[in-house]
Amino acid sequence: MPFFTSTLLRPQTLFQSQPQSKTLISLLLPLLYRCPISSSTSPMASSSSSEATLREVLAEKQAAVEAQAEAVRTLKARPGTPQSEIDSAVESLKGLKLEVAAVAKRLQAEGSANGEGGTGGLSKDAFRQTVVNTLERRLFFIPSFKIYRGVAGLYDYGPPGCAVKSNVLAFWRQHFVLEENMLEVDCPCVTPEVVLKASGHVDKFTDLMVKDEKTGTCYRADHLLKDYCKEKLEKDLTLAPAKVAELNHVIAVLDDLSAEELGAKLKEYGITAPDTKNPLSDPYPFNLMFQTSIGPTGLSTGYMRPETAQGIFVNFKDLYYYNGNKLPFAAAQIGQAFRNEISPRQGLLRVREFTLAEIEHFVDPDDKSHPKFHDVAKLEFLMFPREDQLTGKSARKIVLGEAVSKGTINNETLGYFIGRVFLFLTHLGINKERLRFRQHLPNEMAHYAADCWDAEIESSFGWIECVGIADRSAYDLRAHTDKSGVPLVAHEKFSEPREVEKLVITPSKKDLGLAFKGSQKMVVEALEAMPEKEALELKATLESKGEAEFLVCTLGKTVTITKNMVSISMEKKKEHQRVFTPSVIEPSFGIGRIIYCLYEHSFYTRPSKSEGEQLNVFRFPPIVAPIKCTVFPLVKNDQFDEVARNIARALTKAGISNIIDITGTSIGKRYARTDEIGVPFAVTVDSVATVTIRERDSKEQIRVAVDEVASVVKEVTEGQSTWADVMWRYPTHAASSDE
Ligand code: AMP
């Protein structure tokens, strides 16, 4: 029987024997090499014809798999069939299943890359509205204090939202904390003023605000200016080239504009309050921290922390000791952060309280190599280096190892974390074609930072910063050292003592006391704090002229220093160790933003059996899905209910979250309800001995013995096996005619 011969059904010969298939594959080739979506391309631009082609190929391949599976079963049942013949047919089946999986994956990618995810070319706003409606209706999130009409920028996570968040955080802990042996801490949200004064937040954590002069409504000044420029550029097609350049320039330098410059631009462009068209006030800084007082006296100012990082910095000394006084090491913290955003407008993306997951990786500033960099060096993904942004290019795929070796990314440790962040996000289900790493422009970066990159995810709101990855050099530890007087430093012990030349400044307290009386202490401190260059210049002047004028900042005046008042020399010394302030590399994850983007990237619709109706689906990977499995008796029947309860008990015992639905609703409706919250697997009890397991996206079903169900579902949800693996091991079952 030629049908059973392995050669006929090998994947490559399948195409040769089916000319229609060959044509389809050649149509598919350009899709395989699809260009990344540039920032200017609408994610909603449809390519439904390629999607239709993919669907045809998928159907054809699924039919081939079913035929070959039947062939294998017949071969196995036929007495005396040589084992080699069975093996060969099985090999062919495996190859075909792999092809099905590959096409299904391409189809999924196609759907998400278009951003329409099967919704039939909806506009960005309409797509977002569909996603948000589904999320709100299924209680992924709830506007906080809704019965009191809510508060802008505050949201609750409902049951599936909580489960998704806890899954994302569990994976974050596994991927970062466990993998790198990070030291996790959990610090209070209420933070005393001194800490945030040292970090610069009290003085500088501000946005420029303007007020509607009549109603008092507040707006972010830079947002109003940016909106104006963007709208002009998009809508006014008669703009002269010089004006276009000017508006683009304003957008580019927005972060750099002072309050006065911003105010002048708002006036020049005649920008008024968007809601009322009333005149606006001049811009002034508004501190984004929520202020509070600690204790009943009201005398001790505190703030709700705007980030979790400071809790780690202030604990550096103890953590370094805990780590055996060794560098590098990383500490991590997950917790709430609070920012009193002026006018939160982007739904779940810009909120006033959110979960941050932050890592502070402390490293020797003279050696930022990373022992595990080679694990990620070959990754290739979308990067948007500074030069490309400045020359108007788009993000492009770059190999991480090359970006580091060419100096595009400042150092290996920073590169290592960029690679790990890429793996983290894509493993969660973020589409890698809609994820890019954008380097900060010089005007965006703090003066002390060595290099910064943002992981930006494309959503219906555009490209959104979800993770910031910055080499902050020694800034934070130095700032807290200066403010607290506790040296937050590391030591490198030398195997052999090293001879070094050191500046030694010895003020003569007696002579200085006679000359400056009560001010002596301040002069002594100023002399001791002199940097090397200034000290050597003072020494030269004292030697040539016998005296010199010397500025004491704390006194606010210049004093005359004579030769007898201070001795300055360079002396050779033996040193046994080097003392230095470590650099810190900080990946900072906005968990809510990642989750929202994941919702958009996972969402698609598919037609239901009933005419014209679209069903919503979240294609969450099992690791993210809020519930991993549902259990349905096919019809209302005591025996089936009992089997369903036993399966649900076994799943719970195996640690697999599940829900059981014994309502008599049609099976199609029950599938649709759980597809809408992204449950990846559904067990349908249609007999007491074996049951079916259905995979959400392909709707493929396999038949499994009742007592094996829990272990099979555990395998596929925990990633020990793929769905394709288990499809291969168990007989397939025709999909329900009810959906
Ligand atoms: P930043 O410290 O400003 O770099 O913020 C760190 C991360 O927090 C960002 O990458 C965002 O993902 C997230 N984030 C910042 N501000 C907000 C906000 N208002 N709402 C939600 N997430 C935010």
Side-chain angles (χ1 to χ4, degrees), residues 7 17 22 67-68 167 204 227 270 272 302 333 357 388 399 420 454 476 485 491 519-520 576 591 610 652 669 674 714:
T7 40
S17 62
K22 201 171 169 189
Q68 183 69 357
N167 293 340
K204 299 208 186 90
D227 289 349
T272 52
Q333 175 160 210
D388 290 2
V399 176
R420 293 290 296 166
D454 286 341
D476 306 277
H491 306 86
S519 307
Q520 179 241 33
H576 297 264
I591 296 299
S610 43
T652 307
K669 282 213 175 91
T674 55
K714 190 173 166 71

Side-chain angles (χ1 to χ4, degrees), residues 315-543:
N315 279 315
F316 173 80
K317 196 165 180 255
D318 289 339
L319 292 171
Y320 179 57
Y321 178 72
Y322 183 89
N323 199 51
N325 291 336
K326 285 200 185 71
L327 280 187
F329 77 92
Q333 175 160 210
I334 296 173
Q336 294 303 90
F338 304 82
R339 298 185 186 180
N340 199 2
E341 297 285 348
I342 294 173
S343 50
R345 301 183 301 176
Q346 290 175 307
L348 293 165
L349 291 176
R350 188 170 293 282
V351 290
R352 288 177 164 143
E353 177 177 347
F354 53 95
T355 304
L356 270 180
E358 295 193 288
I359 295 166
E360 307 301 329
H361 179 95
F362 298 102
V363 62
D364 184 337
D366 294 345
D367 178 13
K368 292 184 182 172
S369 61
H370 197 288
K372 293 205 289 188
F373 181 68
H374 61 267
D375 291 352
V376 293
K378 290 202 175 73
L379 290 174
E380 188 178 11
F381 48 82
L382 282 178
M383 293 188 205
F384 204 6
R386 183 178 296 144
E387 284 67 34
D388 290 2
Q389 295 169 55
L390 293 170
T391 49
K393 295 189 185 131
S394 301
R396 62 195 157 97
K397 285 199 173 149
I398 302 181
V399 176
L400 184 54
E402 280 172 24
V404 171
S405 63
K406 289 186 179 152
T408 312
I409 295 175
N410 184 277
N411 58 73
E412 262 190 13
T413 300
L414 188 63
Y416 177 71
F417 279 107
I418 289 176
R420 293 290 296 166
V421 169
F422 171 80
L423 292 175
F424 172 73
L425 294 172
T426 49
H427 199 84
L428 284 179
I430 294 295
N431 178 348
K432 66 178 182 340
E433 303 297 337
R434 301 176 68 193
L435 164 64
R436 70 181 185 193
F437 287 79
R438 190 183 67 80
Q439 189 172 31
H440 278 205
L441 294 171
N443 63 353
E444 287 175 89
M445 223 161 56
H447 63 93
Y448 48 78
D451 195 8
C452 296
W453 292 73
D454 286 341
E456 295 184 333
I457 304 177
E458 195 191 30
S459 76
S460 61
F461 290 101
W463 289 96
I464 301 297
E465 176 206 336
C466 290
V467 187
I469 310 146
D471 180 338
R472 297 176 55 84
S473 70
Y475 175 81
D476 306 277
L477 292 182
R478 282 215 181 106
H480 286 297
T481 299
D482 292 348
K483 191 80 178 173
S484 66
V486 177
L488 302 178
V489 291
H491 306 86
E492 184 200 358
K493 294 227 161 27
F494 299 139
S495 46
E496 296 281 310
R498 292 183 193 170
E499 195 163 85
V500 288
E501 264 213 325
K502 283 211 120 186
L503 175 75
V504 179
I505 302 172
T506 320
S508 162
K509 290 189 179 158
K510 186 174 152 223
D511 293 318
L512 289 164
L514 285 172
F516 302 114
K517 311 244 165 10
S519 307
Q520 179 241 33
K521 191 166 168 269
M522 285 185 243
V523 180
V524 168
E525 280 171 359
L527 285 168
E528 283 174 341
M530 263 187 301
E532 184 173 314
K533 186 164 169 276
E534 197 187 324
L536 293 178
E537 280 168 10
L538 180 67
K539 175 179 161 74
T541 314
L542 290 177
E543 273 165 14

Side-chain angles (χ1 to χ4, degrees), residues 44 111-112 115-117 119 127-142 155-168 346-349 425 428-431 434 457-461 466 591-605 616-621 624-627 675-679 696:
M44 305 299 142
S112 351
E116 63 177 29
T119 57
F127 173 75
R128 181 189 314 136
Q129 210 46 60
T130 316
V131 178
V132 169
N133 287 347
T134 312
L135 292 171
E136 212 173 323
R137 189 164 40 76
R138 300 309 307 267
L139 292 198
F140 279 85
F141 80 92
I142 308 161
Y155 293 94
D156 302 337
Y157 284 81
C162 275
V164 168
K165 180 177 169 188
S166 112
N167 293 340
V168 168
Q346 290 175 307
L348 293 165
L349 291 176
L425 294 172
L428 284 179
I430 294 295
N431 178 348
R434 301 176 68 193
I457 304 177
E458 195 191 30
S459 76
S460 61
F461 290 101
C466 290
I591 296 299
R593 286 193 180 176
I594 295 172
I595 291 176
Y596 177 76
C597 292
L598 195 55
Y599 289 152
E600 281 205 5
H601 286 205
S602 308
F603 185 83
Y604 68 101
T605 61
N616 301 323
V617 188
F618 282 107
R619 65 162 84 78
F620 298 131
V624 168
I627 291 162
D675 288 348
E676 202 178 41
I677 55 167
V679 181
R696 178 197 56 215

